[in-house]
Amino acid sequence: QVVFSYNHLGFSTTYGMFSGFEGEISFDQDDASKSSVSVSMPVTSMLTGWEQRFGHFMSPDFFGAEDGDMITFTSTSIEVTGEKTANITGDLTMNDVTKPVVLAATLNQLGTHPQAQKEWAGFSGTTQLLRSDFGLGAFAPYVSDEVEVTISIEAMKAE
């Protein structure tokens, strides 16, 4: 899951998420700094919980999104910060703008998935983005420019 949240007019914290993302993780267990990640998700896979909000986000006020428009993240470096933590720096492309971002990541678990009986890994991470960095700053500061992003993923070892 890729979940995002922002302050809406000071009245609430509003949440949304993306579904349908895909990606590839190359994880070096011996030296995590040699690992890499790339992820992409369709802009139109955004779930907001309210059809009117989704329509507004897809409008020219924000994404002006069409089917096929993607958000992508490709790591450029990984700095190991602890036994199960790292800062993953990468290029985030959203709304035709590419900016570097840092994802504070945690390896949750490695092991055999009890149902799939395959090697599995679970990761989580957080970052904060500024909408305005990606040409999406409409209505700021009333709708916060800052967006919190939380990621929780499971990955199956490739065969």
Side-chain angles (χ1 to χ4, degrees):
Q1 295 179 326
V2 177
V3 178
F4 61 92
S5 63
Y6 57 93
N7 181 289
H8 187 257
L9 303 169
F11 292 109
S12 67
T13 299
T14 303
Y15 297 89
M17 72 186 252
F18 288 90
S19 67
F21 66 92
E22 58 183 50
E24 186 173 303
I25 299 169
S26 174
F27 181 58
D28 186 327
Q29 287 180 283
D30 296 324
D31 185 356
S33 68
K34 294 180 180 175
S35 302
S36 64
V37 61
S38 62
V39 177
S40 63
M41 65 194 91
V43 174
T44 57
S45 73
M46 182 187 300
L47 303 170
T48 66
W50 187 31
E51 191 173 328
Q52 187 175 350
R53 180 176 293 126
F54 173 80
H56 194 202
F57 283 173
M58 297 303 117
S59 79
D61 280 349
F62 293 99
F63 286 97
E66 299 176 5
D67 283 341
D69 289 352
M70 302 294 282
I71 297 172
T72 62
F73 175 82
T74 303
S75 64
T76 55
S77 68
I78 297 178
E79 174 194 6
V80 176
T81 57
E83 187 176 323
K84 291 188 171 193
T85 59
N87 288 330
I88 302 173
T89 300
D91 291 329
L92 177 66
T93 301
M94 182 167 52
N95 204 35
D96 295 325
V97 176
T98 301
K99 296 277 186 178
V101 299
V102 178
L103 180 67
T106 300
L107 170 63
N108 299 323
Q109 181 170 295
L110 285 174
T112 302
H113 190 284
Q115 291 144 326
Q117 293 300 307
K118 296 181 180 182
E119 291 302 306
W120 221 259
F123 300 91
S124 57
T126 60
T127 193
Q128 185 178 72
L129 306 174
L130 293 177
R131 296 185 298 119
S132 58
D133 283 350
F134 297 92
L136 299 167
F139 309 107
Y142 306 106
V143 176
S144 65
D145 195 19
E146 299 83 12
V147 176
E148 297 290 331
V149 179
T150 303
I151 300 165
S152 184
I153 62 166
E154 296 180 19
M156 176 183 69
K157 185 175 183 178
E159 296 180 5

